[in-house]
Amino acid sequence: MFDLETAIKKWKRGLAESQVLEDGYRDELEAHVRDKIADLTGQGANPEEAFHEAVAAMGGSEKIDDEFFKAHTTKRHGRPSWRPPRFMPALFWNYLKIALRKMRRQKGYSFINIAGLALGMACCLLIVFFIHHELSFDRFHQDADHIFRITLDAVLGGNPINAPRSPAPMAPDLVAMYPEVRSAARIIQQWSSLPVRFADKEFIQTKIAFADPALFDVFTFPLLRGDAKTALARPYTVVLAERTARMYFGTNNPVGKFLKFGERYDFEVTGVIKDVPQNSHLKFDLICSLETYFSWYPGNRNVWFGNFIYYTYVRLVRPEARKALEAKLPGLVEEKLGNALKALKANFRFQLQPLTEIHLRSKLQWEYGPNGDILYVYIFTAIAVVILAIACMNFINLATARSARRGREVGLRKVIGARRSDVIKQFLGESIIISLLALLAAWVFVRLALPLFKSLSGIELTFSLRELAWLVPTFFGLVFFVGFAAGSYPAFYLSSFQPVKVLKVGSQAGSGDARFRRFLVVSQFVLSVAMIIGTQTIAGQIRYMKNKDLGFQKDQVLSITSAGGKTPASPDLVKNRLREIPGVVNAAGTNFVPGDDQRWQSIDVVVPEGYAESTNLMFRRINADADFVRTMGMKIARGRDFSKDIPSDVKSAILLNEEAARKTGWADPIGKTIKVLVDKNQYETKTVVGVVKDFHVSSLRDTIEPVYLSNDLGGSGRFVVKLRTDDIGRLLEEIKKAWRTVSSGGWIDYFFVDENFEALYRSEERLNKIFSSFSVLAIAIACLGLFGLASFLAEQRKKEIGIRKVLGASVGAVVGYLSREFLKLVGLAALIAWPIAYFAMNIWLRGFAYRTSLNPWTFLGSSSAALAIAFLTVGWQALRAALANPVDSLKYE
Amino acid sequence: MVSKALVAASAKPIILSLLLSGENYGYRILQRVKLVSGGVLEWSEAMLYPVLHRLEADGFIRSKWKLSEEGRMRKYYFLTEAGTRELEREKVHWLSVHEALTKLWTPAKNLD
C-alpha cells in the first residue's frame, strides 16, 4: 500500500546524499513537493501519482547539485569541486603500471589468459579470412552487380531440371532483342584434360574453356597482351592465363605462337590475361575461341532446342533492369521453343542469377565447377563465435576466481575517491590491454597456421597492403570485442566490492561467485563436447559412405579415355589388346563410370510397355558393352546380362536397375519392351533382358535414380579396366603402351574409379578436418582455463589440504576430493551436450539419402574423452597440491 | 523555447519583480512565472531554489519560515532594501536592451 508520508520521508533521506543540501534546504524542497502534491491531488490525481510526478519534476540530488553549482559559479563550463575530474592522466599511467605489474608478477596466470585468448582469436581470424574469401567471390569484376547468369528452370518428362546453361543462340538473341542487355558471353567446357604442347614442352591442361570475345566485355579479365576485341574472334585462337604463358614461353611474348592441343589441333595464341583470381567461380588457364567449336559443329550455332551446354552471362546496362528482362524471357521461350515444348509437354523458364550469388547460393545441376555453400559460412561463423566464447569464459573465470587478489586494491581506490565507474574503466582497460597482447600472439599463430589452413580450405591467403583496409578495423574490432566480452563481467564484479568489507582484516571477500564460475565451466564443456561429438559423427558418416556396398566393385578399376584426337578404330581391338596384359582382369567399353560428373550423363524420356506416350518417365542412360557389368562387379538380380553371342542385344537389349524396374511397376520386367524417345516424336523400342542390382553412381547424399544400361556403345571411346596387381605403376605403363599401339600413338586420360568416387566426399572430408581441428582447439582452450582455475583453487585450499593430510588423508583421497567437483561439472556438461549434438547432427545427416545412424557410443566415447582430458588437467594440479608437505603449507610465514 | 542562457539571465530580475508585490514561496513563484509568461518560461524546480539561495546570499532577498493556512511550514522570501535597488538597476538595464532591440526592429527608423 502506498503511504505518502513514508514515501516523502524516504525521498528526503535520499536527498541527504547530495553534497550541497543542508537541512533547511531539504525542508524547503519538501514543502515544495507537498505543495505540488496538494495541487495535483486537488486536480484529481491519486496521491501516489502525484508524489511520483512531483519528485520527478524535482530531479535527483545530482541535478540539484549541478543547478546549485551553476547558480554560484562564474565559470560557464566548470565542474563542481566535489566531482572528480573526467580524466586524470596521472591515474591512466597508474592503471597501466598496475596492469603490467600484475602481469609480470603472475606470469603463469597471465600466460594462460593471453594464450587462451590468443588461440581463440587466431581461430576467429582464420575463420574471418575464410568467410571474407567466400564472400568476395566474383566481386572483383567491375560492376559485378550488373552481371547475371542465365539459368534454366524446367520440367521435362516430369523431372525438374535446374541448370545454369542455355542453348547457343541465347546470348546473341538477347543482345539483339533487348536493349537492357549490354553484352552477353557464352562459355563451354569441352575437355576435362588434354595434353597441350609447344615445341618440346608438354603439360596436361585441365582448365580449358571455350568462350566468346564478349567474355572480356562482360567480365573483368584484364589482357596483358593482345586485343580484347579480336583475341577470340577467329577459330583456333587461344588466350592464355599469365602462369600458363610462363609455363610454355617463359618471359617471351607468346602472341602469334602456336600451341598443339592433343596432338591434333593447332591454336594460335592471341592474348594473355592476368591469372584468374582464386575467388572466381569461373576458372581457366586457357580460353579457346568459341568459334573453334562452331567450326566443328556449324549446325549448333542456331539451334534453340537441344545442346544446352552454354553457360551464358549477360551484362545489363543497370542492375535494376533484371526484373524487366526476366519478365520478357517467357516471350522469348514461347517464340523460340514454343512448339518443341508443346510436343514434349515441357515447361521451360529462364531466369537471371546474380553473378555474386553463384558461388555461395547456387546449387544447380551442371554447375561450372564446384561451388561453396553459404551453409559453411554460417557453420564457421558459429564455430568462431563458440571458440571465442570459450576463450572469453576462461578469462572471466580466472579473473573472478582471482578477484580476492585485487579486492584490497579496489577497496583502497574507492576509499581514496574512485567511483565504481572508475574501477570499471580500469578493469576494462586491463582486459583490453590483455586482448591486445593476445592479438599479437594470435597473429603469430595465424602465420604459423597458414600452411595448415591452406591444406584444409584450399585457400591461399595473401596479405597485401590493400587488405589492410579491412584487416585493421577487423583487428581493432576483435580486440575491443574480446576486451569487453571477457572484461565486463570481472570489471562489474570487482567494482562492486565494498571497501569496508574488503579492507577488514581477515576478510575472505571476493573469492568470486562460485556458482557463476561453475556455470561457465559447464558451458565451455557443453560446447567442446558437442563439437567432439559432431566431429565423430561426421567421421562416422564418411566411413560409412566409403565402406558402404555401392553395388559395384570400385577398387582397382581404371577408367581410360582418349586424351584428345586419335580414338582407336574398334573398341573390341582395344579390349583384346588390354586383356593380353598380365594383371588386367577384364576390360569393357562404356560412356559413364560411377563418380563421374553427372552433367555429362544423358537422361532419356522413356515409355514402358503398356504406358501412354504422355507418361514422361525419365531414366538416366549408361551405354555399355557386354563386359561392363562383369568388369564393374555389378550383380544381375533377374534375367541375364548382355551377351556377345546374341547379336540382337547390341541393337535392342537393355538392362534396368532395380529402381527403374520399380518405376515401371511391372511384376516381371524381363522380356517387356520400353520405347525410348530419340528424336521429335520418334521412339526406338528396346527389350529388357535383365535387372541389375541398384548401384550408386553419385554421392550418397543422393538417392539412387532410375538408370538403364543400353548395350549400344554409341561410339563412346571410353573403357573401364579391372586390374589385379601389386605394381600399379608398371601396369599403367603397359596400358599406356598398349593404347599407343592400338591408336597409332595416342594419349590416354585415366583415373581410378574409387578415387573418382571418393572425390565426391571431398567437401565432407574437408568439413571433418576443419571441424576436428577446431574441436581440438576448443577443448584445449577450455582445458587451459580449467588448469588455471584448478591450480588457483588448489592454492587457495593449501591450508585445508595440509590439515587433511595431517589428520591422515591419503594422497589419493585428496586428489579425488579436489578433482571430484570439476569432473562433476564436466559430466553435467556432457549430459547437456548430448541433446544439442543429437539435434544438430540429425539435421546434418538428413542431407544424406544414405546415412549412418547416430551411435550412442559416439556420445559416450566423446564424453569420456572430455572427462579424461579434464581429469588429466585437474588431476595434475590436485596431485601437486596433495603431494605438498603439510609443514610448508601450515607454517606461519 | 527560450534559450538556456536567457532563462538564466532573466531569472534574477523576474524573481525580484515577483517579490515586489509581496512575500512569496518557491512553489507559488514557479507557478506565477509560468502564468505571467504565458507558459513560455518554464523553470525547473531544481533550478529555482539554487537561484533563490544565491539571491539571499547576495542580500537582495531574505527568507523566513511561516506556518501556512493548510498547517504546513513554508519558506517565504521577501525583498530587502538592497533588493529593491538592485531591481531598479536591472530594470534600467533590461529596458535599455528592450529599447535598443525595438529600435532595431522598427523598419523606418533603421540606421539613422
Side-chain angles (χ1 to χ4, degrees):
Chain A
M1 212 23 232
F2 177 76
D3 179 44
L4 189 60
E5 286 308 314
T6 35
I8 288 178
K9 211 179 263 172
K10 212 169 137 198
W11 167 75
K12 203 174 158 191
R13 208 177 307 130
L15 281 185
E17 259 180 43
S18 170
Q19 311 274 346
V20 295
L21 299 186
E22 293 175 16
D23 283 352
Y25 199 174
R26 287 197 292 148
D27 291 337
E28 187 179 10
L29 293 182
E30 181 193 344
H32 179 104
V33 165
R34 283 181 186 279
D35 278 335
K36 184 147 189 179
I37 291 171
D39 241 18
L40 288 170
T41 42
Q43 286 164 26
N46 72 37
E48 186 170 357
E49 287 167 8
F51 169 76
H52 287 301
E53 193 178 333
V55 166
M58 185 65 69
S61 64
E62 287 228 350
K63 192 178 167 203
I64 298 170
D65 287 359
D66 282 346
E67 291 291 345
F68 195 92
F69 175 74
K70 259 193 262 167
H72 285 77
T73 186
T74 48
K75 282 187 271 176
R76 288 189 59 203
H77 297 291
R79 243 176 119 71
S81 59
W82 60 86
R83 289 271 165 82
R86 282 203 189 84
F87 177 65
M88 280 185 267
L91 259 187
F92 177 76
W93 292 114
N94 177 269
Y95 289 155
L96 193 66
K97 197 164 89 184
I98 296 287
L100 294 176
R101 182 189 292 163
K102 290 278 168 197
M103 268 186 244
R104 244 193 341 265
R105 296 224 177 130
Q106 307 176 357
K107 288 204 182 72
Y109 163 72
S110 310
F111 171 78
I112 288 177
N113 247 346
I114 294 177
L117 281 182
L119 280 177
M121 282 171 137
C123 287
C124 197
L125 281 177
L126 285 174
I127 289 175
V128 166
F129 295 151
F130 167 77
I131 292 174
H132 180 264
H133 175 83
E134 290 292 289
L135 295 179
S136 72
F137 257 77
D138 296 314
R139 287 182 200 274
F140 60 89
H141 297 291
Q142 253 169 40
D143 298 329
D145 58 337
H146 289 52
I147 307 174
F148 296 86
R149 181 166 75 172
I150 309 284
T151 61
L152 170 65
D153 182 6
V155 179
L156 187 60
N159 288 22
I161 298 176
N162 288 294
R165 310 210 291 191
S166 319
M170 175 65 91
D173 284 1
L174 284 178
V175 177
M177 293 167 71
Y178 304 111
E180 294 93 336
V181 182
R182 190 180 106 173
S183 54
R186 292 164 289 188
I187 301 171
I188 61 171
Q189 297 166 314
Q190 275 299 298
W191 293 316
S192 62
S193 73
L194 197 70
V196 174
R197 188 163 62 83
F198 174 73
D200 57 340
K201 286 185 187 146
E202 181 169 88
F203 303 97
I204 303 282
Q205 296 293 348
T206 52
K207 292 177 189 161
I208 307 173
F210 287 73
D212 279 322
L215 181 78
F216 300 119
D217 186 42
V218 174
F219 298 108
T220 311
F221 292 122
L223 270 93
L224 302 173
R225 293 176 192 275
D227 176 24
K229 288 217 170 51
T230 58
L232 293 174
R234 289 176 290 122
Y236 295 105
T237 53
V238 62
V239 170
L240 307 181
E242 205 181 349
R243 60 165 169 250
T244 316
R246 213 174 305 119
M247 277 162 79
Y248 289 102
F249 305 102
T251 50
N252 298 331
N253 184 358
V255 174
K257 305 260 175 31
F258 284 86
L259 285 174
K260 201 161 201 73
F261 279 56
E263 296 296 323
R264 187 162 168 192
Y265 306 109
D266 287 310
F267 279 77
E268 183 189 350
V269 178
T270 48
V272 177
I273 54 167
K274 267 173 93 167
D275 286 340
V276 177
Q278 276 189 85
N279 53 358
S280 169
H281 87 280
L282 292 169
K283 295 185 165 49
F284 23 66
D285 291 332
L286 302 101
I287 311 167
C288 303
S289 65
L290 193 62
E291 284 303 314
T292 320
Y293 180 78
F294 287 137
S295 74
W296 298 336
Y297 307 98
N300 222 318
R301 198 190 290 268
N302 297 312
V303 177
W304 262 92
F305 194 75
N307 259 304
F308 281 71
I309 61 168
Y310 300 87
Y311 297 93
T312 303
Y313 295 84
V314 295
R315 185 193 186 102
L316 303 186
V317 286
R318 42 175 206 287
E320 304 78 45
R322 175 191 181 184
K323 283 267 159 312
L325 184 60
E326 259 179 352
K328 290 175 190 168
L329 289 178
L332 184 70
V333 172
E334 183 55 37
E335 183 190 332
K336 305 289 184 186
L337 290 164
N339 290 335
L341 295 183
K342 242 174 248 137
L344 280 168
K345 295 196 184 58
N347 185 15
F348 274 35
R349 208 155 57 96
F350 288 103
Q351 282 164 315
L352 298 180
Q353 180 181 41
L355 176 70
T356 48
E357 284 182 14
I358 291 175
H359 177 66
L360 286 176
R361 298 182 188 275
S362 183
K363 282 187 193 165
L364 305 176
Q365 296 161 285
W366 308 322
E367 288 282 356
Y368 187 87
N371 281 339
D373 191 338
I374 191 77
L375 182 68
Y376 286 106
V377 172
Y378 294 145
I379 289 178
F380 285 118
T381 310
I383 292 180
V385 169
V386 163
I387 290 197
L388 211 53
I390 292 179
C392 288
M393 286 179 195
N394 259 355
F395 184 94
I396 296 171
N397 242 341
L398 290 173
T400 52
R402 304 180 71 91
S403 55
R405 297 270 171 110
R406 307 292 297 266
R408 297 248 153 93
E409 180 193 337
V410 172
L412 202 60
R413 280 188 192 278
K414 282 194 167 179
V415 165
I416 299 175
R419 284 158 310 168
R420 186 167 183 191
S421 62
D422 297 320
V423 181
I424 290 177
K425 271 181 229 155
Q426 180 198 346
F427 284 108
L428 275 183
E430 265 181 38
S431 68
I432 286 173
I433 290 176
I434 289 183
S435 76
L436 192 66
L437 290 175
L439 178 76
L440 298 179
W443 185 241
V444 175
F445 288 150
V446 166
R447 298 311 294 243
L448 292 177
L450 277 184
L452 178 73
F453 179 77
K454 195 192 162 195
S455 76
L456 288 179
S457 66
I459 300 165
E460 189 155 16
L461 290 174
T462 48
F463 298 101
S464 62
L465 277 179
R466 215 161 26 127
E467 238 82 48
L468 282 182
W470 69 273
L471 276 181
V472 171
T474 308
F475 285 168
F476 279 94
L478 195 62
V479 164
F480 280 97
F481 175 76
V482 170
F484 274 98
S488 51
Y489 180 78
F492 281 99
Y493 176 73
L494 281 163
S495 64
S496 70
F497 288 170
Q498 289 179 341
V500 178
K501 286 192 185 148
V502 284
L503 291 179
K504 216 185 323 187
V505 175
S507 82
Q508 245 331 110
S511 59
D513 183 351
R515 238 184 322 168
F516 182 68
R517 228 158 39 217
R518 277 190 217 120
F519 166 75
L520 289 183
V521 169
V522 170
S523 326
Q524 284 183 316
F525 276 86
V526 166
L527 298 173
S528 310
V529 171
M531 281 182 80
I532 298 178
I533 296 176
T535 311
Q536 293 301 317
T537 311
I538 294 172
Q541 173 67 14
I542 292 172
R543 246 191 333 271
Y544 170 83
M545 292 193 290
K546 285 192 170 167
N547 297 333
K548 186 177 187 303
D549 178 15
L550 298 169
F552 68 93
Q553 303 294 321
K554 62 178 191 287
D555 301 320
Q556 298 217 343
V557 179
L558 193 65
S559 157
I560 302 177
T561 46
S562 154
K566 294 182 185 163
T567 317
S570 143
D572 283 325
L573 189 71
V574 178
K575 287 196 295 183
N576 289 335
R577 177 72 190 77
L578 286 172
R579 284 200 196 102
E580 287 168 14
I581 305 169
V584 171
V585 179
N586 212 338
T590 180
N591 69 342
F592 182 86
V593 300
D596 270 2
D597 192 333
Q598 283 188 301
R599 76 180 92 164
W600 311 114
Q601 196 180 12
S602 319
I603 306 175
D604 289 335
V605 176
V606 296
V607 183
E609 188 181 324
Y611 282 72
E613 281 188 6
S614 57
T615 329
N616 276 336
L617 269 177
M618 304 200 68
F619 289 174
R620 287 185 178 275
R621 167 166 38 98
I622 296 175
N623 295 77
D625 65 16
D627 294 309
F628 181 71
V629 169
R630 247 178 307 137
T631 306
M632 293 303 294
M634 293 169 179
K635 298 254 165 24
I636 298 289
R638 313 173 72 157
R640 62 171 177 88
D641 195 357
F642 298 134
S643 168
K644 272 175 264 188
D645 305 328
I646 306 172
S648 65
D649 267 10
V650 174
K651 260 207 85 57
S652 66
I654 58 170
L655 296 170
L656 300 181
N657 72 348
E658 289 170 311
E659 178 60 26
R662 253 192 302 279
K663 273 269 157 69
T664 61
W666 292 327
D668 181 13
I670 311 300
K672 292 272 200 323
T673 61
I674 285 181
K675 288 196 288 178
V676 179
L677 186 71
V678 287
D679 205 347
K680 215 181 273 179
N681 293 324
Q682 271 183 38
Y683 293 90
E684 250 174 38
T685 304
K686 305 274 189 179
T687 310
V688 179
V689 297
V691 176
V692 184
K693 268 199 180 309
D694 276 339
F695 55 93
H696 289 274
V697 294
S698 65
S699 160
L700 297 196
R701 280 185 178 278
D702 310 322
T703 49
I704 291 179
E705 289 182 59
V707 174
Y708 80 97
L709 277 65
S710 168
N711 198 11
D712 176 10
L713 259 187
S716 161
R718 184 166 181 187
F719 300 90
V720 280
V721 186
K722 174 76 180 175
L723 316 175
R724 190 174 300 131
T725 177
D726 297 324
D727 188 358
I728 286 192
R730 184 196 57 81
L731 195 52
L732 274 176
E733 285 312 309
E734 296 268 341
I735 289 172
K736 281 183 195 163
K737 223 186 292 164
W739 185 271
R740 293 183 85 87
T741 59
V742 289
S743 68
S744 53
W747 285 74
I748 54 168
D749 214 7
Y750 63 89
F751 56 79
F752 284 95
V753 170
D754 54 349
E755 285 170 15
N756 192 37
F757 204 82
E758 274 162 21
L760 297 173
Y761 303 128
R762 212 167 280 151
S763 86
E764 281 82 17
E765 298 251 20
R766 199 210 273 179
L767 180 70
N768 187 39
K769 272 198 230 160
I770 294 174
F771 223 80
S772 51
S773 321
F774 282 128
S775 54
V776 165
L777 268 173
I779 200 143
I781 296 173
C783 281
L784 206 56
L786 202 59
F787 181 81
L789 201 59
S791 64
F792 172 73
L793 289 183
E795 190 194 308
Q796 211 183 29
R797 293 161 80 174
K798 213 159 66 178
K799 288 209 162 64
E800 177 198 332
I801 293 164
I803 294 172
R804 279 177 191 275
K805 282 191 78 179
V806 168
L807 292 179
S810 69
V811 171
V814 172
V815 169
Y817 169 74
L818 284 176
S819 338
R820 200 173 304 136
E821 191 198 327
F822 286 109
L823 295 185
K824 258 193 272 174
L825 294 182
V826 177
L828 176 66
L831 287 182
I832 297 173
W834 287 355
I836 297 173
Y838 181 83
F839 284 117
M841 291 330 286
N842 239 343
I843 290 171
W844 184 74
L845 282 176
R846 241 178 269 156
F848 295 86
Y850 303 89
R851 55 185 175 250
T852 166
S853 54
L854 281 167
N855 186 347
W857 288 108
T858 310
F859 286 71
L860 284 176
S862 306
S863 312
S864 327
L867 267 175
I869 296 171
F871 179 73
L872 284 178
T873 313
V874 176
W876 191 69
Q877 283 300 323
L879 190 66
R880 226 173 51 154
L883 286 176
N885 189 346
V887 172
D888 292 331
S889 49
L890 288 179
K891 73 174 180 212
Y892 280 102
E893 275 79 19
Chain B
M1 269 306 279
V2 181
S3 79
K4 260 182 161 175
L6 194 54
V7 168
S10 61
K12 182 172 161 190
I14 290 176
I15 290 174
L16 293 179
S17 310
L18 270 169
L19 294 180
L20 202 59
S21 58
E23 58 180 23
N24 218 331
Y25 59 98
Y27 184 68
R28 177 63 19 128
I29 293 174
L30 216 56
Q31 286 186 318
R32 296 263 312 171
V33 169
K34 196 173 164 186
L35 198 70
V36 296
S37 69
V40 174
L41 285 172
E42 209 169 325
W43 294 354
S44 77
E45 276 88 339
M47 168 209 157
L48 173 68
Y49 288 98
V51 175
L52 284 172
H53 286 227
R54 171 73 195 260
L55 291 175
E56 193 177 6
D58 290 347
F60 300 137
I61 58 177
R62 229 177 299 149
S63 66
K64 61 177 177 237
W65 284 93
K66 270 191 187 175
L67 195 64
S68 74
E69 290 146 39
E70 295 94 342
R72 277 208 303 275
M73 291 298 286
R74 274 189 196 129
K75 201 177 184 185
Y76 282 79
Y77 292 88
F78 54 89
L79 272 182
T80 60
E81 281 287 307
T84 322
R85 276 200 304 278
E86 179 69 12
L87 179 58
E88 280 308 312
R89 262 199 300 282
E90 284 279 332
K91 215 165 163 181
V92 173
H93 295 158
W94 281 90
L95 282 177
S96 49
V97 170
H98 176 79
E99 206 176 327
L101 286 175
T102 316
K103 261 190 204 156
L104 285 171
W105 290 334
T106 313
K109 287 177 190 168
N110 208 356
L111 297 172
D112 40 305

